[in-house]
Amino acid sequence: MDWAGLTAAPTGASGIVTGRRYSALEGGGALIVADDGISLTSPRGRVTVRYADCTLLQVYPDGGRHLVGGDGFTLSVEPTLYGITGAELTRLDAGVPAASVVRMPPRDADRIPQPRKRARNSPPDVPVRRAWFTVLLWVLGIPAVSIGGYTALLAYVATQGPRDHRIAQEDARFLFACMIVSAVFLIPWGLLVRRRKEGRS
């Protein structure tokens, strides 16, 4: 639609501010507070609102802030998600024009965003390992390693030096049977090991 004088609306900020960085408590991303603006980065993109261009700043008693920039971009500052205090947001409050500031009533507790709760005493992002899965790993792993090692040794011995043709055929059949049995244990065991490494069990 360029021929009609229309241009596409921007889908993200062209740049971010340089200032104090507050990492998100979960999900990645960060909040960056500077003297002239504030930026929010996340896996979905980034948004920047300059204080001088802020058309609306909603201030909540719990410390939350909601900014609307002159370009239409919005940005929410939730202290509960970034570990930032009200005192550390004084630059934001001082930089936004007073006419754009709106004091909001208290929010209900269930409307204040909170990070997901973790199990008590469990480290962050550490998957809980199931006992039955560990037992299954051992049940499959011991014969998989034992039979697999025996099969490899048998294959090595069978390929060393000349052998009687009839005995060689019998050894080959026995070796093939060992390989089949090894695969029965090794394949599911390998899949379970990969699943454990990916933290899915």
Side-chain angles (χ1 to χ4, degrees):
M1 298 295 291
D2 293 344
W3 59 269
L6 303 177
T7 57
T11 58
S14 58
I16 59 176
V17 299
T18 301
R20 178 76 179 274
R21 183 184 183 90
Y22 301 87
S23 297
L25 300 180
E26 65 174 13
L31 189 70
I32 305 173
V33 182
D35 291 330
D36 61 335
I38 187 168
S39 295
L40 180 64
T41 65
S42 71
R44 294 175 295 179
R46 57 189 185 182
V47 176
T48 295
V49 175
R50 302 287 176 176
Y51 301 146
D53 297 329
C54 182
T55 59
L56 174 65
L57 169 60
Q58 295 175 314
V59 180
Y60 294 90
D62 55 73
R65 308 284 199 282
H66 183 76
L67 298 88
V68 179
D71 52 7
F73 286 112
T74 63
L75 189 156
S76 294
V77 180
E78 298 292 349
T80 52
L81 300 182
Y82 294 93
I84 186 172
T85 65
E88 293 168 317
L89 289 172
T90 53
R91 287 187 292 179
L92 185 158
D93 296 334
V96 174
S100 300
V101 179
V102 176
R103 302 287 174 179
M104 303 297 293
R107 294 185 288 184
D108 294 336
D110 57 355
R111 300 196 62 182
I112 300 175
Q114 299 290 338
R116 290 173 296 180
K117 295 182 179 179
R118 303 184 186 276
R120 183 176 297 179
N121 298 328
S122 65
D125 299 327
V126 175
V128 178
R129 295 189 171 182
R130 299 178 177 86
W132 67 266
F133 193 89
T134 301
V135 172
L136 186 59
L137 277 176
W138 282 99
V139 169
L140 291 176
I142 292 176
V145 174
S146 301
I147 300 175
Y150 175 76
T151 303
L153 179 61
L154 186 64
Y156 173 77
V157 173
T159 56
Q160 299 303 307
R163 305 289 298 278
D164 179 83
H165 181 68
R166 182 178 60 81
I167 297 177
Q169 284 185 328
E170 293 179 356
D171 288 346
R173 286 194 292 268
F174 181 69
L175 178 60
F176 180 75
C178 289
M179 293 174 63
I180 295 298
V181 175
S182 298
V184 169
F185 289 96
L186 281 171
I187 293 176
W189 181 64
L191 295 174
L192 293 177
V193 170
R194 185 175 68 176
R195 187 180 181 91
R196 169 59 60 86
K197 289 183 177 180
E198 293 174 352
R200 294 186 291 146
S201 58

